[in-house]
Amino acid sequence: MIGTLYLVATPIGNLEDITLRALKILKSVDLIAAEDTRHTLKLLNHFEISKPLISYYEQNEKIKSEKLISKLLEGKNIAVVSDAGTPGISDPGEEIVKRAIKNNIKIVPIPGACALINALIVSGMSTSEFEFIGFLSANKKDRKEKLEQIKYDTRTIILYEAPHRLKVTLEAIQEVLGDRKIVLVRELTKVYEEYIRGNVSTVLEQIVDIKGEFVIILEGNVISKKELEISNLNKKTLEEHYAFYVEQGIDKKEIIKKIAKDRNVSKNEIYQYFIKST
Ligand code: SAM
């Protein structure tokens, strides 16, 4: 019989956040695949669990996944854990899950701590719809491109960031997304747990020499639906823009006026365009 792959969430700071089920699974499996075996060994020692460990981190994820799949096919039960929180969330896990699915291996999640969810629920921002970005690229151009992509998103935005890149990231956010509302959730479940709330500019003033782990929660774009609709229309061709208003039963003259207003150009410019193209 082939084995089962367990994705086991571990604490993000406070060891008391381990679940009873996580302990039971970690005690029962044949092997634990860990992002950093030394780190996980400390956790296992704390709970008096002794199990064979194998390293499984981003750079060796593909090779190690293959090896772990062979072991699962031999009938071994394996738990995947990351350094903190839920495996697969900005952490290794995704690769082995994809391969396990291909090999018809049973996959079981063991729920527990996850920084993004806990930061979101204390943020005071809308929890009904959100977008998780993970870490922004360290490359300036790629980072800006990603921020441009989410600029008009009205959902709450969640980012992870390392302390040494926090300032640069917040400055990039301010530049592209504007001085919107933000909550910096610091050191969740740990002694110095803290929430810094404000606008990007006021939070930037407060983070000189700040240390620890952070989740950044940003308010979604608050421009009105109408403004958003116009902004989306302006990304379309003039013909598509025109067709949008035709569908609303608006007459020709009024459409020209509306398009000119949306695009902040003269009515004549729009009129001339359609004259030339007909
Ligand atoms: N898999 C993890 C999870 O489920 O949240 C995330 C791992 S990711 C490599 C690490 C990032 O998660 C940190 O840089 C930080 O942004 C966030 N993080 C992890 N633990 C945290 C904590 N205790 N407080 C605030 N942020 C935390």
Side-chain angles (χ1 to χ4, degrees):
M1 201 165 119
I2 59 178
T4 299
L5 173 67
Y6 296 95
L7 290 135
V8 181
T10 56
I12 52 170
N14 189 328
L15 291 185
E16 289 181 10
D17 291 333
I18 192 103
T19 68
L20 295 174
R21 193 159 167 235
L23 290 176
K24 193 171 124 192
I25 296 297
L26 292 175
K27 277 179 193 157
S28 75
V29 291
D30 300 295
L31 182 67
I32 298 173
E35 193 184 1
D36 179 341
T37 51
R38 283 168 307 175
H39 187 95
T40 298
L41 193 59
K42 283 186 204 153
L43 178 84
L44 296 180
N45 287 342
H46 181 86
F47 292 107
E48 297 176 351
I49 299 170
S50 172
K51 282 288 158 186
L53 282 164
I54 182 168
S55 76
Y56 177 73
Y57 49 89
E58 205 186 332
Q59 289 74 14
N60 73 5
E61 210 177 342
K62 286 211 162 89
I63 300 166
K64 283 292 169 83
S65 286
E66 227 21 76
K67 205 168 165 184
L68 292 169
I69 293 292
S70 306
K71 289 192 182 294
L72 284 156
L73 292 173
E74 282 165 18
K76 302 267 187 265
N77 292 320
I78 298 178
V80 168
V81 298
S82 64
D83 283 356
T86 301
I89 302 297
S90 296
D91 265 343
E94 191 180 310
E95 187 62 37
I96 193 165
V97 167
K98 283 185 177 149
R99 289 176 193 232
I101 293 167
K102 274 194 194 144
N103 285 278
N104 290 321
I105 292 166
K106 188 176 172 194
I107 311 159
V108 179
I110 307 296
C114 184
L116 79 99
I117 295 296
N118 289 287
L120 175 67
I121 61 172
V122 294
S123 69
M125 306 271 183
S126 169
T127 57
S128 56
E129 284 193 80
F130 56 90
E131 182 173 18
F132 173 59
I133 307 290
F135 291 94
L136 282 173
S137 169
N139 176 287
K140 196 176 172 185
K141 188 169 159 271
D142 295 346
R143 188 168 57 219
K144 198 167 172 205
E145 220 169 87
K146 182 74 206 174
L147 289 170
E148 290 286 355
Q149 258 177 40
I150 58 171
K151 194 171 175 175
Y152 294 105
D153 200 331
T154 52
R155 296 172 293 180
T156 302
I157 294 163
I158 310 173
L159 296 151
Y160 281 164
E161 197 45 283
H164 65 280
R165 286 199 2 219
L166 187 63
K167 187 168 175 282
V168 165
T169 297
L170 292 187
E171 283 168 352
I173 287 171
Q174 188 178 21
E175 187 193 328
V176 182
L177 305 186
D179 198 17
R180 59 174 77 180
K181 272 195 197 159
I182 182 173
V183 186
L184 213 56
V185 183
R186 175 174 175 249
E187 295 285 85
L188 274 165
T189 78
K190 303 186 204 174
V191 180
Y192 296 107
E193 181 174 295
E194 184 186 15
Y195 317 118
I196 307 171
R197 300 173 200 272
N199 283 17
V200 184
S201 59
T202 55
V203 168
L204 259 168
E205 282 163 15
Q206 295 175 60
I207 58 155
V208 190
D209 276 344
I210 200 160
K211 292 184 178 66
E213 293 196 280
F214 301 90
V215 181
I216 302 169
I217 311 277
L218 289 166
E219 187 173 51
N221 197 325
V222 289
I223 65 167
S224 71
K225 250 191 159 171
K226 184 151 191 271
E227 284 171 302
L228 190 63
E229 190 176 87
I230 290 170
S231 140
N232 286 336
L233 278 174
N234 290 350
K235 285 181 201 149
K236 293 181 187 281
T237 63
L238 276 172
E239 285 76 8
E240 287 166 338
H241 202 153
Y242 190 92
F244 171 82
Y245 285 129
V246 169
E247 269 171 36
Q248 293 181 18
I250 301 171
D251 72 68
K252 247 183 187 174
K253 214 170 139 196
E254 192 58 23
I255 292 179
I256 300 286
K257 244 174 149 179
K258 276 181 162 300
I259 296 178
K261 191 167 173 233
D262 293 348
R263 298 192 176 225
N264 203 17
V265 294
S266 73
K267 274 184 289 180
N268 193 39
E269 201 174 309
I270 303 297
Y271 183 71
Q272 290 302 328
Y273 174 86
F274 284 111
I275 293 275
K276 277 183 201 147
S277 58
T278 49

